[in-house]
Amino acid sequence: MSIAAYKRTIIETEAPRQIERRILAQVTGQLEQHQEKFDASGDLSERLSLLAGDLRACLWDNEQVWLMLRSDLSEPENALPPQLRAGLLSIALWIERQTNLVMRGTGNIGPLVEVNRSIIRGLAGDAGTAELQEA
């Protein structure tokens, strides 16, 4: 099967919500691979060294996902309720600020992972995400 046929099959068989969940789970998994070592380090030079590796790319990928979500949420055609859209836009802006802290070596990856996991659960339809819908 060609790549184009594979992509077409995914688009035809996955709902947008499933695609968002899958992509968010992928970038979250990448962040989790670095979380323990980065967050446990209190040394700024060690953190910056870790960022010099592929952690920076993982953070970038996560931020790009959130930028795309933010863009989609900003569209007038977005069908989500306005209150939920506003809450998710607020989260997207927080992700950007937290990512900047991590990139400077002063923030932790854990909160990014926690927020992503909450959104993943929400996209999966888990009941534990009512707080997001009330935000």
Side-chain angles (χ1 to χ4, degrees), residues 1 10 20 63 66 68 83-84 94 101 109 123 132:
M1 179 182 288
I10 287 175
E20 290 167 350
E63 191 164 7
W66 278 98
M68 285 185 276
Q83 190 173 5
L84 179 56
W94 179 87
L101 291 173
I109 298 170
L123 290 168
L132 287 175

Side-chain angles (χ1 to χ4, degrees), residues 26-37:
Q26 180 182 2
V27 297
T28 303
Q30 292 171 352
L31 289 174
E32 287 175 323
Q33 292 175 5
H34 301 280
Q35 178 183 351
E36 186 177 334
K37 188 172 185 177

Side-chain angles (χ1 to χ4, degrees), residues 11-127:
I11 290 169
E12 291 171 358
T13 60
E14 275 190 307
R17 189 175 178 134
Q18 291 172 314
I19 294 169
E20 290 167 350
R21 182 173 175 255
R22 180 176 44 81
I23 292 170
L24 199 54
Q26 180 182 2
V27 297
T28 303
Q30 292 171 352
L31 289 174
E32 287 175 323
Q33 292 175 5
H34 301 280
Q35 178 183 351
E36 186 177 334
K37 188 172 185 177
F38 186 88
D39 288 1
S41 175
D43 181 48
L44 180 60
S45 62
E46 182 180 350
R47 282 180 163 217
L48 294 176
S49 175
L50 292 169
L51 283 163
D54 62 338
L55 173 54
R56 185 175 303 275
C58 295
L59 289 163
W60 173 255
D61 289 345
N62 186 61
E63 191 164 7
Q64 291 304 300
V65 169
W66 278 98
L67 284 171
M68 285 185 276
L69 290 173
R70 192 165 103 191
S71 175
D72 182 57
L73 291 163
S74 300
E75 291 294 324
E77 300 84 27
N78 188 294
L80 290 177
Q83 190 173 5
L84 179 56
R85 286 173 59 187
L88 290 168
L89 282 167
S90 178
I91 291 170
L93 293 170
W94 179 87
I95 292 284
E96 184 178 354
R97 289 189 303 272
Q98 183 66 22
T99 300
N100 286 332
L101 291 173
V102 174
M103 293 284 234
R104 288 186 294 214
T106 59
N108 288 326
I109 298 170
L112 293 169
V113 169
E114 288 175 31
V115 167
N116 282 4
R117 288 284 170 212
S118 291
I119 300 300
I120 291 166
R121 286 190 299 273
L123 290 168
D126 290 353

